Amino acid sequence: MVRDCTGKQSYIEGLENRRHEVASSTTYKEVTVTTLAHELRNPLTPLFHAVQLIRLSPSTQHLEQPLKIIDRQLEALRRLVDAAAACRFLKRAIGFCRDKAVRPSEAAGVATG
């Protein structure tokens, strides 16, 4: 007796295609977040330094309150950028560990490498 499995095979192929689409989309999002984090980190450092230079200038006491606001906002941006970058590395380490039994020290090496 021969069974017609065409519908089942089509369904399986559809699921496989969807899985590949999701994997590609996830990879694209992770790369985008990592790239964005890197590109945002570049202008943050000169801004931190500029605030410090302003503080070193004579008679800038009247700027102390605005400089505190700038410092606070720059620090918040830095934390967001660091968290975005760390998210990508954490996902890499989790994926690596899921594929095989790994000691924590090995997983840390994957996350930073």
Side-chain angles (χ1 to χ4, degrees):
M1 175 185 244
V2 177
R3 290 175 135 183
D4 183 11
C5 295
T6 310
K8 188 186 289 187
Q9 186 61 33
S10 295
Y11 181 73
I12 291 171
E13 287 174 5
L15 288 176
E16 278 295 315
N17 289 338
R18 182 66 183 132
R19 186 180 68 79
H20 287 296
E21 288 173 14
V22 169
S24 295
S25 173
T26 300
T27 301
Y28 175 76
K29 288 176 189 174
E30 289 174 358
V31 169
T32 301
V33 167
T34 303
T35 302
L36 182 61
H38 175 74
E39 293 301 322
L40 286 172
R41 191 174 280 130
N42 287 337
L44 283 177
T45 301
L47 290 171
F48 278 113
H49 291 289
V51 168
Q52 295 309 314
L53 287 172
I54 292 170
R55 283 202 167 101
L56 293 174
S57 299
S59 69
T60 58
Q61 286 81 15
H62 66 286
L63 297 176
E64 193 54 38
Q65 189 60 32
L67 288 174
K68 283 181 183 179
I69 294 168
I70 293 169
D71 270 341
R72 190 173 52 246
Q73 298 308 309
L74 285 172
E75 184 59 29
L77 283 172
R78 186 192 59 77
R79 283 193 309 269
L80 284 171
V81 168
D82 289 348
C87 181
R88 168 78 170 128
F89 292 121
L90 181 60
K91 285 182 180 182
R92 259 178 78 193
I94 289 170
F96 182 78
C97 293
R98 196 178 300 141
D99 292 340
K100 58 179 165 176
V102 180
R103 289 190 296 275
S105 60
E106 291 173 335
V110 171
T112 58

